[in-house]
Amino acid sequence: MEAGRATAVDPTALRVLDAAGLWLDLTGQVASPQLSEAGKALLTARQFNLYRDGLFAGHSVNNTEERAAWHTMLRAPAPVEAVAAERQRMNEFIRKADSERRWRNIVHIGIGGSDWGVRLTVGAFGYAGMWRQVRFAASIDGHAIEGALAGLNPHDTLIVLASKSFTTAETLQNGRRAIEWQRNAGVEDPYENLMVVTACPDLAKAWGARDSQIFRLWDWVGGRFSLWSSVGLTTALAVGSDVVAGMHAGAAAMDMHFASAPFEKNAPIQMALAGIVNRNALGYASLNIAPYDFRLANLVPYLQQLEMESLGKSVDLDGDPIHVATGPAVWGMPGTDAQHTFFQWLHQSSDGAPVDFIVCQEAGHHWPEHHRSLLANCLAQREALLQGKSYEEALKECLASGLPQEKAEWLAKHRVHPGGRPSNLIVLPKLTPYTLGALLALYEHKVFVQGVVWGINPFDQWGVEYGKVLAQGITEELSGAKPKDAAGHDASTAYWVQRFGG
């Protein structure tokens, strides 16, 4: 980390990598030959090649749950037989539904990894309208399912229920409401309008789903990677099977790049090491995601889950405390909206944060002047973070605007930009299923590299599980199913359980 602290961002040293058809510009990151050698040594010390090989081979890289994290197999050009069979089965279902023009509406019910990836892809490629209307219900808040069902024809609505464990409270409760809604509207057999995606088909069948209407996951598919599985059913029904296939192809290309590109040209590795320097050497506690593309509005929450659920750990693989900072908080929104919301903080606050700028070279619309402005804003904001503005430059501007010397000297202090703030620029030639798939896989592998370096398991989420257990007990207290246990809660929780439970 000393090599990182001793080096500054050099905006004159261009660093652009080509990875699976994307361009990753690392010019805005701290870099030096000494830092590169330190990164190599760190990966060697952490047996990175061994872990990477294990990831692609389907070995048990998720040590706390004793399972693989083999999401790369889901998008492999020649997958194992079980994956290929399920992929074919889903495609046949979609072809039949499309040929019959069945279901004008889809209500997708899932949460976390069973939701964000589908929202992202449907928003990216269906933003201008689809012949099937898609709505989402994720939260346990009843307004979510009420809004998702409102105004739809129950007889022409498919319910897609996605839950790996088929025990997810939010998903099952929302699913019950959807079945009730159809039954109350006179649908003779609501389960004919239900498709389930799960790793626990027996639980789904006990709930009422037919075996023929269940698409299977495997326990080695982590929820935040399930976009690549049959969870993509809604995506395919909404925007086409070719979109799903294209995303698989782009992700597989990035998998190949990650597995084979040399250290200096390996985009996930270089992006990961830059992030580690920003976190551990430069002390940045967060990472801003700034997609300069309206269609990628859901990329931010998708990456929040990927990064923060994977890297939000404080013990290593042996369960011992980690004595360095691990995953940063991830936040953001699309540009140029973000410029009018929080970019002031990025430019001139005392803390600041590294920024991942993401933009498409070619637009998907027919108004070139709009896209030129979008590209200009993206480049300008990044340049301002990189170059900054000195007091002397600010003073010159103030004087040139006609301000008196004394006022110009005062105002110039407020217009100084420190500069040297780290950033990446990720450029897609244009937004296609292929390039979006490659982009998501780039981030997946970046997160994996950081997990290896920090010595943590990026594939479990025990913090989330603990909260679920507590919620179940509190739900029983609120409903009267078990006595209120004031002694078992802190003072605040006990007070509100009593107040909410009556």
Side-chain angles (χ1 to χ4, degrees):
M1 291 302 104
E2 290 302 321
R5 296 187 189 98
T7 309
V9 174
D10 181 1
T12 68
L14 182 67
R15 293 176 64 209
V16 180
L17 302 180
D18 187 340
L22 310 184
W23 296 288
L24 171 62
D25 185 343
L26 293 151
T27 306
Q29 300 288 356
V30 168
S32 69
Q34 295 79 11
L35 194 55
S36 180
E37 288 304 313
K40 283 184 182 178
L42 188 56
L43 292 179
T44 300
R46 287 298 194 181
Q47 297 183 293
F48 166 71
N49 288 340
L50 181 67
Y51 281 104
R52 179 175 56 180
D53 292 346
L55 174 74
F56 283 107
H59 295 167
S60 183
V61 294
N62 178 350
N63 71 320
T64 63
E65 296 178 298
E66 299 182 329
R67 61 179 59 151
W70 213 14
H71 41 277
T72 56
M73 180 52 64
L74 294 172
R75 66 240 191 170
V80 295
E81 184 177 350
V83 172
E86 203 66 6
R87 187 186 293 178
Q88 180 179 350
R89 194 171 152 251
M90 187 179 84
N91 287 336
E92 289 173 354
F93 172 83
I94 293 161
R95 279 194 294 269
K96 186 173 187 296
D98 286 350
S99 66
E100 295 174 354
R101 302 294 283 180
R102 193 175 180 192
W103 298 302
R104 293 301 303 268
N105 310 299
I106 303 171
V107 175
H108 183 94
I109 300 175
I111 197 165
S114 297
D115 173 71
W116 283 122
V118 182
R119 286 191 196 244
L120 169 59
T121 51
V122 171
F125 302 112
Y127 72 98
M130 303 164 287
W131 79 269
R132 285 190 175 107
Q133 180 179 191
V134 181
R135 294 186 183 175
F136 295 89
S139 173
I140 195 65
D141 184 346
H143 299 101
I145 188 64
E146 181 182 49
L149 300 174
L152 300 183
N153 177 0
H155 296 268
D156 202 16
T157 298
L158 176 67
I159 307 299
V160 177
L161 209 65
S163 171
K164 178 182 174 182
S165 66
F166 213 78
T167 59
T168 310
E170 298 94 333
T171 301
L172 295 185
Q173 287 205 44
N174 284 333
R176 292 187 193 100
R177 299 295 84 76
I179 294 296
E180 291 170 1
W181 169 75
Q182 291 205 338
R183 183 177 288 120
N184 293 340
V187 176
E188 186 175 341
D189 185 1
Y191 293 95
E192 283 292 322
N193 292 333
L194 173 72
M195 297 301 299
V196 172
V197 184
T198 184
C200 299
D202 289 342
L203 292 179
K205 284 185 278 189
W207 195 81
R210 275 69 159 172
D211 187 61
S212 62
Q213 293 166 274
I214 299 172
F215 289 107
R216 286 165 176 77
L217 294 173
W218 296 269
D219 66 357
W220 43 261
V221 181
R224 50 194 173 274
F225 306 98
S226 61
L227 164 70
W228 311 108
S229 72
S230 296
V231 168
L233 171 66
T234 296
T235 300
L237 286 168
V239 293
S241 298
D242 56 332
V243 168
V244 174
M247 291 186 65
H248 284 186
M254 187 61 73
D255 293 342
M256 184 175 295
H257 169 86
F258 177 54
S260 60
F263 171 84
E264 294 82 1
K265 297 182 179 180
N266 196 302
I269 290 176
Q270 293 299 323
M271 195 172 170
L273 292 176
I276 290 168
V277 169
N278 290 336
R279 187 74 175 107
N280 297 133
L282 304 181
Y284 289 108
S286 72
L287 169 65
N288 179 264
I289 306 294
Y292 273 70
D293 198 303
F294 165 83
R295 298 165 294 179
L296 296 179
N298 285 312
L299 179 64
V300 174
Y302 181 88
L303 293 180
Q304 283 180 316
Q305 183 191 14
L306 173 64
E307 298 234 5
M308 296 172 75
E309 201 166 76
S310 298
L311 300 175
K313 316 288 170 60
S314 56
V315 297
D316 64 18
L317 295 172
D318 295 323
D320 298 323
I322 298 173
H323 299 295
V324 298
T326 55
V330 177
W331 56 288
M333 68 168 59
T336 59
D337 305 50
Q339 295 173 196
H340 297 269
T341 308
F342 51 71
F343 264 52
Q344 167 62 40
W345 184 89
L346 290 171
H347 285 294
Q348 289 187 309
S349 73
S350 56
D351 298 324
V355 181
D356 282 357
F357 291 89
I358 303 166
V359 73
C360 295
Q361 181 174 349
E362 181 181 327
H365 56 73
H366 304 291
W367 294 290
E369 65 273 22
H370 280 257
H371 198 59
R372 281 193 295 271
S373 295
L374 183 74
L375 293 173
N377 273 274
C378 177
L379 295 177
Q381 294 295 326
R382 184 167 185 253
E383 186 172 47
L385 288 171
L386 269 173
Q387 300 276 44
K389 182 190 291 184
S390 67
Y391 173 76
E392 290 72 22
E393 290 171 320
L395 177 59
K396 185 178 179 180
E397 286 180 358
C398 291
L399 291 171
S401 70
L403 289 176
Q405 182 74 30
E406 185 176 354
K407 187 171 184 179
E409 292 175 356
W410 165 77
L411 185 59
K413 296 175 184 178
H414 296 268
R415 298 175 70 167
V416 171
H417 289 240
R421 298 200 162 180
S423 68
N424 293 313
L425 175 62
I426 303 171
V427 178
L428 287 61
K430 59 182 178 180
L431 184 61
T432 66
Y434 183 97
T435 58
L436 181 57
L439 177 67
L440 300 186
L442 170 66
Y443 274 95
E444 287 178 1
H445 295 318
K446 182 204 83 163
V447 165
F448 173 75
V449 175
Q450 291 178 331
V452 171
V453 170
W454 281 320
I456 61 181
N457 179 2
F459 300 118
D460 61 10
Q461 55 278 329
W462 295 106
V464 178
E465 301 301 327
Y466 179 46
K468 290 180 181 178
V469 172
L470 294 180
Q472 183 176 351
I474 292 173
T475 298
E476 292 173 355
E477 291 181 59
L478 292 175
S479 66
K482 76 175 187 180
K484 295 179 178 63
D485 180 19
H489 298 299
D490 60 85
S492 176
T493 303
Y495 170 81
W496 290 110
V497 167
Q498 181 63 41
R499 183 154 188 137
F500 292 159

